[in-house]
């Protein structure tokens, strides 16, 4: 079976968080069970520069181009091809100077326009692939709101009938913005009636459109699949979930349960990348046989590099977003008088959270370290050198850091939600804390 995965990111070429890990590792896993999976992502300037510096150890090659209508103009798309390092799995990059050079345009409508453009480019890339690479995808796998317009555009504009799967990695990012994007895509109201159903009605909800138009919808853990239906009451996305359920009932002629609306499949990680035995970023490599020495030596060098004393050492790694619960971590540590452990925080994101973390660290100069920024090398060193990793997320669709931590013999302490609940067995391979405790902290007890 041929599968074309599309997303905003794919490690190691371009990665913001877990979605990048997912898109970088799933094709390899599919390949191992005999499926032909390939990936297409935008060719951002930064990726181009890293290719030029030979960062990935593989080269990219321009293999073609085509043009698409977008708004008033015609835009040229360049097609580049490379392979995931040490594999023969192709990855394609689509380039365009105006819309696909920079990854983070400011302003929510600019982002909607950028990813509508990318979705249009991917949809037109499909017939190009069939003709020029003699490779016909039998499934198109879209991920998150960035690529959630692909099913709609394939049906209504490119008019190709290929099944689509939309995987939701985070339901809180929906791509809500002005309906004007429809004019850019040249999609008419009468063609696409559901589009005018965002809240307010002048708004498009890109993820919602994906939920309506994809053949199948999945998410990244069984518990999150349940939580979506329990916790999103009143959220604008509900309208689309309900519509999908009604449409399914119409087709199947019976009352279907929620399992038919969204399937929850737990993510995994790539042990060729996340493996202390071969990890070149860490101070000392180790495996199951010598992990006690390995952990001890890595911890020693990590603490020395950060001028911390030898104490039990906890870390936090993640995007600085409200979701990740750093507020809880800060509140909890502040409640402990004369604590005797190290805490190392690595992350970047929302400036107000970054500032709160830096202010917090400055209160405990001998025990807490905060590193603001994205640092792949440091993340690996923390996985290898810490005793515990704290994951206090308010919600976590899947979470990969707990899986990486376990592979590095670092014990996760996490809130009992989503994929954390599905992958951590309390008291066996980590610890889970319950919502009740978190709400106590919220009330300031
Ligand atoms: P999410 O997808 O919500 O970002 P996950 O737990 O699924 O969270 O995945 C996070 C991934 O991003 C992990 O590979 C983690 O190591 C990495 N990561 C997050 N923040 C940083 C950072 N500041 N520096 C390096 N790696 C990071």
């Amino acid at each position: 079976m041929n599968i074309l995965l599309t997303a905003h990111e794919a490690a190691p070429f371009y990665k913001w968080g877990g979605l990048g890990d997912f898109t970088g590792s799933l094709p390899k896993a599919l390949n191992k069970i005999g499926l032909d999976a390939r990936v297409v992502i935008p060719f951002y300037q930064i990726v181009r520069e890293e290719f030029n510096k030979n960062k990935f150890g593989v080269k990219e090659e321009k293999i073609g181009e085509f043009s698409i209508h977008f708004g008033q103009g015609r835009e040229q798309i360049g097609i580049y091809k490379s392979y995931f390092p040490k594999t023969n799995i192709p990855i394609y990059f689509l380039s365009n100077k105006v819309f696909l050079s920079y990854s983070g345009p400011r302003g929510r409508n600019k982002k909607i326009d950028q990813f509508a453009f990318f979705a249009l480019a991917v949809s037109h890339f499909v017939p190009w692939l069939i003709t020029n690479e003699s490779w016909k995808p039998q499934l198109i796998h879209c991920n998150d709101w960035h690529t959630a317009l692909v099913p709609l555009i394939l049906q209504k504009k490119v008019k190709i009938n290929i099944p689509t799967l939309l995987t939701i990695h985070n339901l809180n990012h929906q791509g809500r913005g002005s309906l004007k994007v429809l004019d850019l895509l040249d999609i008419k109201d009468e063609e696409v009636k559901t589009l005018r159903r965002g809240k307010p009605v002048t708004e498009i909800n890109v993820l919602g459109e994906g939920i309506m138009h994809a053949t199948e919808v999945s998410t990244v853990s069984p518990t999150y699949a349940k939580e979506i239906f329990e916790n999103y009451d009143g959220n604008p996305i509900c309208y689309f979930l309900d519509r999908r359920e009604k449409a399914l009932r119409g087709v199947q002629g019976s009352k279907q349960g929620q399992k038919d609306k969204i399937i929850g499949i737990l993510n995994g990680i790539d042990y060729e990348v996340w493996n202390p035995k071969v990890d070149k970023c860490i101070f000392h490599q180790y495996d199951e046989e010598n992990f006690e020495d390995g952990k001890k030596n890595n911890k020693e060098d990590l603490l020395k590099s950060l001028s911390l004393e030898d104490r039990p050492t906890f870390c936090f790694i993640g995007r600085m977003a409200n979701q990740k619960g750093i507020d809880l971590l800060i509140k909890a540590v502040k409640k402990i008088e004369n604590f005797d452990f190290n805490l190392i925080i690595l992350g970047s994101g929302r400036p107000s959270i970054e500032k709160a973390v830096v202010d917090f660290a400055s209160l405990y100069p001998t025990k807490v370290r905060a590193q603001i920024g994205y640092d792949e090398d440091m993340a690996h060193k923390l996985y290898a050198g810490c005793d515990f990793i704290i994951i206090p997320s308010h919600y976590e669709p899947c979470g990969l850091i707990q899986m990486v931590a376990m592979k590095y013999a670092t014990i996760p302490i996490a809130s009992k939600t989503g994929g954390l609940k599905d992958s951590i067995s309390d008291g066996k391979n980590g610890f889970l804390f319950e919502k009740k405790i978190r709400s106590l902290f919220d009330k300031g007890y």
Side-chain angles (χ1 to χ4, degrees), residues 15 17-18 21 274 317-319 324 346-347 373-376 379 383 396 399-401:
K15 174 178 158 184
D21 287 317
W274 296 111
I317 303 170
R319 291 180 295 109
K324 299 291 176 182
L346 170 66
Y374 188 91
D375 187 341
E376 192 75 41
Y383 288 121
E396 195 59 75
L400 298 178
I401 56 176

Side-chain angles (χ1 to χ4, degrees), residues 119-120 122-124 126-127 140 142 147-166 185-188 190-195 208-217 243-244 247:
L120 187 66
V122 168
S123 304
H124 283 280
V126 172
I140 298 183
C142 310
T147 48
L149 284 177
V150 170
L152 166 79
I153 298 172
L154 278 177
Q155 281 168 32
K156 305 289 175 186
K157 302 246 22 128
V158 183
K159 302 198 190 299
I160 279 192
N161 192 12
I162 297 177
T164 50
L165 166 66
L166 171 67
L185 290 169
D186 191 27
I187 288 181
K188 296 184 183 60
E190 60 271 21
E191 281 176 318
V192 189
K193 295 200 177 68
T194 57
L195 278 167
E209 289 314 312
I211 289 172
M212 286 302 304
H213 290 93
T215 319
E216 292 290 343
V217 180
R243 284 283 303 251
R244 183 172 175 89

Side-chain angles (χ1 to χ4, degrees), residues 70-292:
F70 192 65
Q72 300 300 317
R74 231 183 146 71
E75 290 289 335
Q76 205 64 17
I77 311 281
I79 307 165
Y80 293 76
K81 185 175 181 181
S82 185
Y83 293 86
F84 284 95
K86 298 185 197 146
T87 74
N88 56 2
I89 299 170
I91 175 160
Y92 301 94
F93 299 92
L94 301 185
S95 76
N96 173 268
K97 263 206 177 113
V98 183
F99 293 98
L100 300 178
S101 284
Y102 301 100
S103 63
R106 295 204 178 263
R108 69 176 192 154
N109 284 328
K110 279 205 173 141
K111 274 196 189 139
I112 304 273
D113 293 355
Q114 176 177 33
F115 288 112
F117 182 87
F118 181 59
L120 187 66
V122 168
S123 304
H124 283 280
F125 172 60
V126 172
W128 187 95
L129 259 182
I130 298 170
T131 311
N132 295 281
E133 293 268 274
S134 308
W135 189 80
K136 183 175 180 187
Q138 290 155 302
L139 176 72
I140 298 183
H141 184 181
C142 310
N143 292 281
D144 268 353
W145 77 269
H146 315 99
T147 48
L149 284 177
V150 170
L152 166 79
I153 298 172
L154 278 177
Q155 281 168 32
K156 305 289 175 186
K157 302 246 22 128
V158 183
K159 302 198 190 299
I160 279 192
N161 192 12
I162 297 177
T164 50
L165 166 66
L166 171 67
T167 297
I168 299 169
H169 297 256
N170 192 331
L171 199 67
N172 272 14
H173 302 296
Q174 296 169 11
R176 290 161 58 194
S178 165
L179 266 182
K180 282 187 190 143
V181 69
L182 286 189
D183 299 335
L184 297 174
L185 290 169
D186 191 27
I187 288 181
K188 296 184 183 60
D189 289 3
E190 60 271 21
E191 281 176 318
V192 189
K193 295 200 177 68
T194 57
L195 278 167
R196 285 205 178 270
R197 303 304 168 126
K199 264 188 185 174
V201 285
T202 52
E203 188 177 78
I204 185 173
N205 186 317
V206 173
L207 187 68
E209 289 314 312
I211 289 172
M212 286 302 304
H213 290 93
T215 319
E216 292 290 343
V217 180
S218 73
T219 188
V220 288
S221 71
T223 295
Y224 191 61
K226 274 194 217 133
E227 288 172 351
I228 284 176
F229 293 95
E230 287 162 6
N231 301 349
Y232 280 81
D233 229 17
N235 186 287
I237 206 70
C238 274
Y239 169 83
F240 298 94
L241 294 170
D242 290 347
R243 284 283 303 251
R244 183 172 175 89
E245 185 190 26
K246 282 186 191 124
L248 277 176
R249 268 194 221 159
V251 172
Q252 295 166 355
S254 65
K255 265 199 158 197
Q256 296 294 321
Q258 66 189 38
K259 71 176 168 50
D260 299 297
K261 285 186 282 183
I262 297 188
I263 310 154
I265 303 170
L266 194 67
N267 277 344
I269 55 168
D270 181 352
Y271 290 131
E272 282 168 21
V273 174
W274 296 111
N275 188 342
K277 194 173 177 179
V278 295
D279 191 331
K280 295 214 167 69
C281 301
I282 64 180
F283 293 109
H284 306 274
Q285 293 169 351
Y286 59 97
D287 57 21
E288 294 85 357
E289 301 294 316
N290 63 354
F291 78 94
E292 286 183 14

Side-chain angles (χ1 to χ4, degrees), residues 353-370:
I353 303 180
E354 291 180 353
K355 183 176 178 311
V357 167
V358 171
D359 290 349
F360 163 69
S362 69
L363 299 176
Y364 309 94
T366 57
K367 293 173 188 165
V368 179
R369 292 284 175 273

